[in-house]
Amino acid sequence: MISGNSPRSSGPAVLIENLDKYYGTFQALRKVSLSVDRGERIVVCGPSGSGKSTMIRCINRLEQHNGGRITVLGTELNDDVGNIDGIRREVGMVFQHFNLFPHMTVLENCMLAPMIVRKVPRADAEATARRYLEKVRIPEQAMKYPGQLSGGQQQRVAIARALCMQPEIMLFDEPTSALDPEMIAEVLDVIVTLASEGMTMICVTHEMGFARRVADRVIFMDGGEIVEQAPPDEFFTSSRNERTRQFLSQVLGH
Amino acid sequence: MVSLLRNQKVRNALLQILYVGSIAAMVLAGIVIARQNLAAQGITSGFDFLFKSTGWDLNFSLLPATANDPYWWYFLIGIINTLFLGTVGLTLATIVGTIVGLARTSSNELARLLGRTYVDIFRNIPLILQVFFWYAVITHLPTPRAAHEGWGFLLTSRGLYIPFPNVSSAALAAATLAVIAAIALPIWLGRTSRLSLPVGQRGGIQLAGTAAALACAAIILVAGRLADSPLLDFPALQGLNLRGGLRIPPEFATLAIAIAIYGGSYIAEIVRGGFKAVGKGQVEAALSLGLGPWRVFMLVRLPLALRAMLPILANQYVWLMKATTMGIAVGFTDFFMIVALTINHSGQTIEAIGILMAGFLVINLSLAAIFNRINKAIALKGNQLRA
């Protein structure tokens, strides 16, 4: 097992096998299995409480799974701290509520982890940070503090912050759910660009238009299980699963 | 005329004049009556007594003091004693509070239980009882001949004796300033270099500043040492008494301990609250970026918790500063005790109390002002914050 090093090898980017997760006696995930290839774009949807967020939070150990196996870039996620650190370095995450560090400037938010975790020299870290801020279209906000930005801008900073670590995989946990409607597009545009460049990504979202546009595969979860997975065309038009059709009618119906 | 009285602005102005006028009248009447009564009792009011010598001694003073010194000098000594006790007490209370507070937020169940027990006990016993308790403990320590000894420290009923550098008082004062600079420098550097230096490198420069200031302190101490004596003076028994080292009198030790332990229990709750207030999201974001637990604590949890703690902490410090007046219960010559003795000896009650109140107002308003500035300086910017 690689320990402390960056896990990079062939095989699927993320391999989840028979994953179980309990909160006390409540079972949040039931024997979930999923394989995500490199460069693949996965959209996960489903009603609230279905285990979508729990599943992707298990991938970088923000939640500890109770059964089954998770292998990320060939490294198994277990109690080995070296493995956990190695995987977290390669897996970026964007949260529903942005979770920027409010006491640091936008630039510092983006430079912190590369400098400390990857030991990137200051000048390089700053150049990388400015490049990604350019990419998410807010280079002029570098010296501001998160609290001085709108929600959409904050979320784009959060994406840039994760990208500055040059991750292999990006996880998005409902990235637009806390945004005002007029800001959703600016964040989704950034994610679409990222997807078109071949980033491996798993995105939990209710934005079905986005799913149709970028997903290679749409996963539908309910009750802690993966109920159905299919390419978007098939998923949206010809799903035969009752629960999927009910969910889609609720999300798309108005 | 009538229309003028119906004018809102005129009405407000008249009410203001009436209000200020009646307060001024009451204050004036109070002064006149007080003067008449004092004159009737044969007491001359005024501040002339400040320049008379006191005729009594002090048991604790950081500056030279004799019975021939005037009252104003004693008041100054009192303020310095109070500030000294306050500084030592607040520092110790902060250390105790931080340790207990962190124990209370720890994931270790035993640490949490110990922390909780500590807070429950020491927060719920009146401060004055704790002062008496610690005074009893310290005055029941063994006599100097049978002192508890360890690492050059001596615990006796006459006080705590600690090794002390054999240096001139000027060098000591200079070294103290250097140590204060060692604490202040990283804060100042952190602020001025906010924009030009990112987080990662600020630490190095701050550390260098602190190290330089501490080195200065050490050089000053070595340079200012008294001729023909070892650098460190260890206390030792000579005849029936102890010689050498620095003696911390039981009264001072009692108050410092009591304020540290009592204040620590309150500060522990403030620390706990501060860490509870840090959003789980920021911690998760830091973890997901691959930062280790220590970095997450130092770079994310602590800075954010400090911001939540500071306003309440300032309040607590002002409170504890006032608690130094417990000195009178065990005979420590703090500002309050000197004022009380002054009243007994000179009879200038109103003036002495006035000076006491003004002194505490100045001390605590300064403390509050300092904290307000720090608060403003580190306040999170913007109003779009999400926890």
Side-chain angles (χ1 to χ4, degrees):
Chain A
M1 200 79 341
I2 313 155
S3 106
N5 300 318
S6 306
R8 288 169 201 264
S9 69
S10 55
V14 179
L15 182 62
I16 298 173
E17 298 160 282
N18 295 319
L19 201 66
D20 284 324
K21 169 71 190 171
Y22 293 86
Y23 293 109
T25 54
F26 173 75
Q27 189 166 6
L29 294 177
R30 300 166 191 273
K31 300 264 174 273
V32 169
S33 292
L34 176 69
S35 175
V36 181
D37 283 332
R38 279 155 202 270
E40 200 178 6
R41 292 148 297 198
I42 305 282
V43 163
V44 185
C45 60
S48 74
S50 60
K52 324 177 284 291
S53 287
T54 306
M55 180 182 76
I56 71 164
R57 285 164 60 86
C58 281
I59 296 173
N60 65 354
R61 259 276 158 128
L62 291 182
E63 304 287 348
Q64 203 169 332
H65 55 277
N66 306 107
R69 273 162 65 100
I70 301 177
T71 312
V72 181
L73 301 164
T75 302
E76 192 190 339
L77 189 62
N78 50 24
D79 289 335
D80 186 326
V81 180
N83 287 6
I84 296 172
D85 287 348
I87 287 169
R88 280 180 179 165
R89 272 199 290 267
E90 301 301 332
V91 179
M93 186 157 192
V94 174
F95 300 85
Q96 182 178 358
H97 294 293
F98 333 138
N99 301 349
L100 294 173
F101 307 129
H103 56 304
M104 299 178 192
T105 62
V106 163
L107 195 62
E108 287 171 341
N109 264 279
C110 294
M111 291 167 67
L112 181 74
M115 286 177 62
I116 288 172
V117 180
R118 287 223 192 269
K119 314 271 182 240
V120 175
R122 189 191 102 73
D124 297 356
E126 183 172 340
T128 310
R130 288 195 185 276
R131 198 171 75 238
Y132 280 113
L133 288 173
E134 190 97 39
K135 190 177 174 114
V136 299
R137 295 175 212 123
I138 36 174
E140 72 285 358
Q141 312 286 2
M143 288 305 176
K144 287 200 183 162
Y145 285 84
Q148 297 167 317
L149 305 182
S150 72
Q153 291 172 322
Q154 288 193 54
Q155 191 62 300
R156 284 185 281 154
V157 173
I159 295 171
R161 175 177 68 176
L163 291 176
C164 280
M165 280 293 283
Q166 322 263 14
E168 296 276 298
I169 301 164
M170 284 286 286
L171 306 175
F172 294 88
D173 190 0
E174 303 203 27
T176 57
S177 299
L179 294 176
D180 292 333
E182 75 271 22
M183 295 173 182
I184 291 176
E186 66 186 49
V187 171
L188 288 183
D189 283 349
V190 168
I191 303 176
V192 169
T193 310
L194 212 56
S196 68
E197 291 167 359
M199 172 68 79
T200 309
M201 56 170 71
I202 305 178
C203 184
V204 174
T205 184
H206 297 295
E207 297 295 329
M208 290 303 129
F210 166 80
R212 218 189 273 260
R213 209 147 41 118
V214 305
D216 295 315
R217 228 185 328 157
V218 180
I219 311 270
F220 176 69
M221 289 183 75
D222 192 15
E225 290 169 316
I226 293 182
V227 175
E228 186 171 1
Q229 43 182 311
D233 288 346
E234 199 182 315
F235 181 82
F236 289 111
T237 51
S238 53
S239 172
R240 255 167 278 149
N241 186 290
E242 185 51 40
R243 281 193 280 179
T244 310
R245 276 167 48 192
Q246 196 191 345
F247 175 76
L248 284 177
S249 75
Q250 283 162 345
V251 180
L252 303 172
H254 51 87
Chain B
M1 187 63 205
V2 178
S3 65
L4 206 60
L5 274 177
R6 287 172 63 130
N7 182 311
Q8 197 180 25
K9 279 182 190 152
V10 174
R11 265 193 193 188
N12 286 346
L14 280 177
L15 278 174
Q16 287 278 8
I17 291 166
L18 210 64
Y19 179 68
V20 174
S22 54
I23 286 180
M26 279 197 291
V27 170
L28 239 112
I31 291 172
V32 169
I33 292 166
R35 284 185 86 107
Q36 278 173 355
N37 287 348
L38 288 172
Q41 289 173 36
I43 300 169
T44 49
S45 58
F47 290 91
D48 294 340
F49 76 101
L50 283 177
F51 303 99
K52 293 180 188 147
S53 62
T54 57
W56 33 278
D57 283 314
L58 295 174
N59 67 2
F60 184 93
S61 169
L62 293 172
L63 296 173
T66 67
N68 291 326
D69 287 325
Y71 277 101
W72 68 265
W73 181 246
Y74 269 35
F75 282 141
L76 186 68
I77 287 173
I79 289 181
I80 291 174
N81 283 357
T82 287
L83 284 177
F84 183 61
L85 173 61
T87 310
V88 172
L90 294 190
T91 309
L92 292 177
T94 306
I95 295 169
V96 171
T98 306
I99 294 169
V100 177
L102 286 178
R104 289 212 62 181
T105 53
S106 138
S107 54
N108 182 312
E109 203 159 328
L110 182 67
R112 278 207 309 273
L113 183 72
L114 285 175
R116 214 188 125 182
T117 313
Y118 178 94
V119 170
D120 281 348
I121 291 174
F122 291 105
R123 201 170 58 156
N124 291 315
I125 297 174
L127 178 57
I128 187 132
L129 293 186
Q130 298 194 35
V131 169
F132 282 138
F133 171 77
W134 293 112
Y135 194 57
V137 168
I138 289 174
T139 50
H140 284 79
L141 286 169
T143 60
R145 302 190 68 172
H148 292 303
E149 193 174 352
W151 300 302
F153 288 75
L154 290 174
L155 274 177
T156 80
S157 58
R158 289 195 203 162
L160 172 67
Y161 288 78
I162 59 172
F164 200 68
N166 257 327
V167 294
S168 67
S169 40
L172 201 63
T176 311
L177 283 180
V179 170
I180 292 171
I183 299 165
L185 219 54
I187 299 167
W188 182 75
L189 284 173
R191 275 180 49 60
T192 52
S193 57
R194 170 157 285 164
L195 288 180
S196 55
L197 275 176
V199 191
Q201 283 205 336
R202 240 187 265 153
I205 293 206
Q206 286 168 322
L207 214 66
T210 303
L214 285 180
C216 269
I219 291 167
I220 292 167
L221 282 182
V222 172
R225 79 193 258 194
L226 301 176
D228 305 322
S229 62
L231 186 59
L232 263 187
D233 189 15
F234 285 94
L237 195 65
Q238 261 182 22
L240 285 177
N241 215 337
L242 287 160
R243 293 258 175 276
L246 179 77
R247 170 176 168 267
I248 299 170
E251 294 78 21
F252 182 82
T254 298
L255 290 164
I257 293 172
I259 289 174
I261 289 184
Y262 175 80
S265 67
Y266 277 90
I267 292 174
E269 287 300 272
I270 295 171
V271 170
R272 184 172 73 108
F275 278 96
K276 281 259 153 91
V278 177
K280 226 178 120 200
Q282 272 74 30
V283 174
E284 286 182 348
L287 289 173
S288 77
L289 286 165
L291 294 168
W294 173 247
R295 302 289 199 169
V296 174
F297 179 84
M298 287 305 290
L299 296 170
V300 178
R301 290 184 64 209
L302 185 63
L304 291 177
L306 265 179
R307 284 168 171 82
M309 275 153 38
L310 222 52
I312 325 168
L313 210 52
N315 208 21
Q316 190 62 37
Y317 282 165
V318 166
W319 200 105
L320 286 177
M321 208 36 127
K322 291 183 287 185
T324 57
T325 50
M326 288 287 165
I328 203 164
V330 293
F332 174 74
T333 46
D334 74 313
F335 191 29
F336 180 45
M337 179 147 176
I338 284 176
V339 166
L341 290 171
T342 300
I343 291 170
N344 276 346
H345 286 84
S346 71
Q348 305 287 346
T349 314
I350 294 179
E351 294 83 353
I353 296 268
I355 291 171
L356 175 68
M357 293 199 296
F360 264 104
L361 257 169
V362 169
I363 292 174
N364 276 343
L365 286 178
S366 315
L367 198 63
I370 291 170
F371 267 86
N372 276 341
R373 287 210 58 165
I374 299 177
N375 250 333
K376 264 208 192 110
I378 65 169
L380 298 177
K381 287 161 193 71
N383 49 15
Q384 295 268 330
L385 295 171
R386 284 175 194 275

